[in-house]
Amino acid sequence: METALTKTPEKRQVIFLAMLLLLWEAGSEAISYSMPEETESGYLVANLGQDLGLRVGELATRGARIHHNGNKELLQLDAETGNLLLKEKPDREALCGAIEPCVLHFQIILENPVQFFQTDLQLTDINDHSPEFSDTELLLKIQESAQTGTVFPLKAAQDSDIGSNAVQNYTVSPNLHFHAITLSRTDGRKYPELVLDRALDREEQPELTLILTALDGGAPPKSGTTTVRIEVLDINDNAPQFLESLYAVEVPENSPLNALVVTVSARDLDAGIHGNVAYSLFQGGGGSQPFVIDEITGEIRLKGALDFEATSYYNMEIIATDSGGLSGKCSVAIQVLDVNDNAPKLTISSLTSSIPENAPEAVVAVFSVSDPDSGDNGRIVCSIQNELPFLLKPTFKNFYTLVTERSLDRESKAEYNITIIVSDLGTPRLTTQHTITVQVSDINDNAPAFTQTSYTLFVHENNSPALHIGTISATDSDSGSNGLIIYSLLPPHNPQLALTSLISINSDNGQLFALRAMDYETLKAFEFHVGATDGGSPALSSQTLVRVVVLDDNDNAPFVLYPLQNASAPCTELLPRAAEPGYLVTKVVAVDRDSGQNAWLSFQLLKATEPGLFSVWAHNGEVRTTRMLNERDAPKHRLLLVVKDNGEPPRSASVMLQVLLVDGFSQPYLPLPEVALNPTQEEDMLTLYLVIALASVSSLFLLSVLLFVGVRLCKKARDSSLGDCSIPEGHFPSHLVDVSGAGTLSQSYHYEFCLTDDSGTSDFKFMNPIIPTSLLQDS
């Protein structure tokens, strides 16, 4: 119920207002106001009370209000003062658009009584908008053959303002070919057109860019711009032209196949198919060139290997042709750059493979070097090993001589391997090596050298003839015939030594041979020199000392000096029957011509008539009684003694001794001293006597030798005019023996002996030798 009651008055009020409006429209006149757009809010449009002829405050008391009639509420009424104020800033273009004039209608409604007033507000345009083009860039395509005066329409600019504030004029940026004209449509709007003032040339300027400006009629005027891009359409009126008439390039000779050499470029000012250029290589000179060109890109590439040494420069022509048959050409000059691709070459002109070792600065080889490269790549340096005694000497241009630095020594080094190193100065450096083998030929500059300064050889006596007794060895550092050694025996310093009858030598290998049997007792040692001579010219020689020592063999049996065994009857010794045990009956004296242990003698009683009566001392040959004699003993006894040496095999001699027992003779028995001598003291006394006897005999022997030598020297002096004397060859007579110093005695003698009347010990007495002889020998 309340809602219904509330709505009923409102409906009544709306109906009432509608009726009032109809009445107002039927009879009232409008009040018009005018103001420019974009006026600031709060602007006093007018005093409505005054314009309506109402008192102050009447508008308030009558409930005056504004009815906008669907328009934007731009105005507000101050009922107390009657002022009509601008509520917000108006925009004519937003409110009216292109409608001219722009009038906004609204009503003033008063109550008590109801009264309506029509009010119009006209918004005048101000120049608050600049012209705008719908496109930022306008494209025109014009053939370059277009005639001057040709007109080209353009899109117009849009300006929200109207009247004089709208677009009034069009201009273009200054240029040589076009100007702009402004034309009006039937609705009064202006639009631009371009007029061609000068013929176009696409090759000269294929595209033009103009700035089109639209100006309105405001004060100050506003403007808008857009870009007009004009493409000049081509016709085939230009031949291709290369960017350069001559292309000069450098290419290393070691460039790989298909390497890019240079790219030529020709420009055809025409466009489209008229500007397409095809490149071709014009083969000049009739020769094949190692290049190929890409007909589209103009790239010249390498199709064959380059060789600076064969061809260092190429010149050719390139032709560019467009689709219309027009063409242009250029020249390409290609300089081939040298790279270090050739190793130096060495050519031997003269070579000597053998050099004498005594030849200083001998020429070994003459050679030349070459390198086909250029610059540093062709500059050459030659060298050899530093440690070799050779030098490289430059001679003429690229010729060198290899010579010896000094005299060579074949014995130190007989062969040299010389490596000649030839290098260029390129990068990288290339090197050639050549090895020469040089043989050092020998000269006879070295004498034979014996392996020992002296040789001592030993040979046993009684050797077989032609016995090899040793080898003498010498070496010679030289080679060939210069190192061939011939051995020979040099004449001995002792002229009495018949060397050629004793020794021979093999001249090829130095082997020494004994020509005959040696006799130690005759010749114990001898010396001689051996010479070694090489086969060089002149021959060189050297010599060494050889000493031959004859070694003793047990080839002599002991020789009994006493008792003598050469008589027909054995030697008889007298023995008193009263002799005590140990009585010295006799002493067997024997010698051995051998030496050393071959001359060590021992004595042995082999057989006796009465075996137990006598004994022999093994070392000194003394025969003594072993017991007292008695009546039953036989008056005559035979003793068989053996003297044996210590050789291998041992040799011996027998001694037959006859002993007669006697009762007494003038002094048959010498009594023993009060203090009896023991056997050892008695043996020492006998040894002393023997030594004294030997010294006496030796003195006499030396005197005899001196006399013998003196006689021989005198005889030699008398016979000097008849020639040299010689030593008889062969063995000496058997009764002449050597002085050896070995054995029981040192010499062989014939002795006489006797028993003295005053001898109480039956000792014997040595006498002077009858005929002592000996052989002088060189020791």
Side-chain angles (χ1 to χ4, degrees), residues 237-254:
D237 58 346
N238 292 279
Q241 290 184 348
F242 283 92
L243 300 181
E244 299 180 27
S245 60
L246 174 64
Y247 290 84
V249 294
E250 295 179 340
V251 182
E253 64 174 324
N254 62 344

Side-chain angles (χ1 to χ4, degrees), residues 508-662:
D508 296 328
N509 54 25
Q511 292 181 348
L512 291 172
F513 298 90
L515 295 179
R516 60 182 176 85
M518 300 293 176
D519 185 5
Y520 172 83
E521 291 74 28
T522 303
L523 188 62
K524 293 182 173 58
F526 57 93
E527 294 178 350
F528 58 92
H529 286 86
V530 173
T533 305
D534 60 26
S537 179
L540 301 178
S541 63
S542 60
Q543 60 182 7
T544 186
L545 176 65
V546 179
R547 177 179 175 82
V548 178
V549 177
V550 181
L551 301 179
D552 182 44
D553 283 344
N554 192 24
D555 59 341
N556 290 282
F559 181 75
V560 179
L561 298 179
Y562 181 83
L564 295 177
Q565 296 298 305
N566 56 354
S568 58
C571 179
T572 301
E573 297 289 340
L574 300 179
L575 174 62
R577 288 185 176 272
E580 296 291 334
Y583 178 82
L584 179 61
V585 178
T586 185
K587 183 173 183 178
V588 178
V589 179
V591 295
D592 196 319
R593 296 174 63 189
D594 297 323
S595 64
Q597 66 178 9
N598 294 330
W600 296 350
L601 302 182
S602 61
F603 300 87
Q604 180 182 0
L605 179 61
L606 188 62
K607 182 187 288 188
T609 304
E610 191 69 35
L613 181 58
F614 301 96
S615 65
V616 178
W617 285 20
H619 299 296
N620 57 15
E622 293 182 350
V623 180
R624 295 180 179 270
T625 60
T626 59
R627 59 177 176 82
M628 292 291 294
L629 298 176
N630 54 42
E631 295 297 333
R632 291 191 300 273
D633 291 329
K636 183 177 180 181
H637 293 268
R638 281 184 175 270
L639 303 179
L640 179 61
L641 284 78
V642 175
V643 182
K644 186 164 55 175
D645 59 24
N646 198 36
E648 184 63 36
R651 293 180 177 271
S652 61
S654 61
V655 178
M656 181 63 69
L657 183 65
Q658 184 172 288
V659 179
L660 296 179
L661 301 182
V662 294

Side-chain angles (χ1 to χ4, degrees), residues 137-140 142 173-178 194 196 198-202 204-211 227-233:
E137 182 180 274
L138 302 177
L139 176 62
L140 290 180
I142 304 173
S173 57
N175 64 94
L176 298 176
H177 297 278
F178 295 93
L194 279 179
L196 180 63
R198 180 181 176 185
L200 299 175
D201 186 355
R202 198 206 68 82
E204 180 182 343
Q205 193 171 6
E207 184 178 282
L208 288 83
T209 301
L210 305 178
I211 303 299
T227 301
V228 179
R229 185 167 63 86
I230 301 172
E231 289 185 1
V232 182
L233 300 180

Side-chain angles (χ1 to χ4, degrees), residues 647-718:
E648 184 63 36
R651 293 180 177 271
S652 61
S654 61
V655 178
M656 181 63 69
L657 183 65
Q658 184 172 288
V659 179
L660 296 179
L661 301 182
V662 294
D663 291 330
F665 39 84
S666 58
Q667 193 176 359
Y669 175 71
L670 293 177
L672 293 174
E674 294 180 358
V675 180
L677 296 175
N678 58 43
T680 303
Q681 291 177 342
E682 184 178 1
E683 182 179 353
D684 292 340
M685 290 299 294
L686 290 175
T687 302
L688 177 62
Y689 296 153
L690 182 59
V691 169
I692 294 172
L694 289 174
S696 300
V697 171
S698 298
S699 299
L700 294 175
F701 170 72
L702 291 175
L703 180 61
S704 301
V705 170
L706 293 175
L707 291 175
F708 175 76
V709 171
V711 171
R712 292 298 300 270
L713 291 176
C714 291
K715 183 178 179 182
K716 182 177 179 181
R718 288 194 304 266

Side-chain angles (χ1 to χ4, degrees), residues 335-467:
Q335 177 67 51
V336 180
L337 296 180
D338 182 40
V339 296
N340 196 22
D341 60 342
N342 291 282
K345 182 180 180 182
L346 185 146
T347 304
I348 300 293
S349 300
S350 173
L351 177 62
T352 302
S353 59
S354 180
I355 300 296
E357 61 179 324
N358 65 338
E361 295 191 3
V363 176
V364 177
V366 177
F367 62 92
S368 63
V369 294
S370 60
D371 193 326
D373 294 324
S374 63
D376 286 342
N377 297 332
R379 295 177 60 189
I380 299 174
V381 176
C382 294
S383 63
I384 60 173
Q385 302 99 306
N386 293 329
E387 68 274 9
L388 299 180
F390 295 89
L391 292 176
L392 276 179
K393 290 186 176 181
T395 52
F396 175 74
K397 290 185 178 180
N398 290 333
F399 280 84
Y400 289 83
T401 303
L402 178 64
V403 298
T404 57
E405 184 179 12
R406 60 180 182 273
S407 296
L408 305 179
D409 185 8
R410 191 205 64 84
E411 289 71 36
S412 299
K413 192 170 184 179
E415 181 180 285
Y416 291 90
N417 290 320
I418 307 168
T419 300
I420 302 174
I421 303 172
V422 184
S423 302
D424 59 27
L425 299 181
T427 302
R429 301 183 73 171
L430 298 180
T431 300
T432 298
Q433 295 185 357
H434 186 82
T435 300
I436 297 175
T437 300
V438 177
Q439 304 288 339
V440 181
S441 60
D442 184 51
I443 63 169
N444 193 25
D445 57 346
N446 292 279
F450 285 95
T451 56
Q452 298 176 213
T453 56
S454 63
Y455 294 81
T456 300
L457 306 179
F458 297 91
V459 58
H460 285 273
E461 64 174 331
N462 302 317
N463 57 282
S464 60
L467 175 69

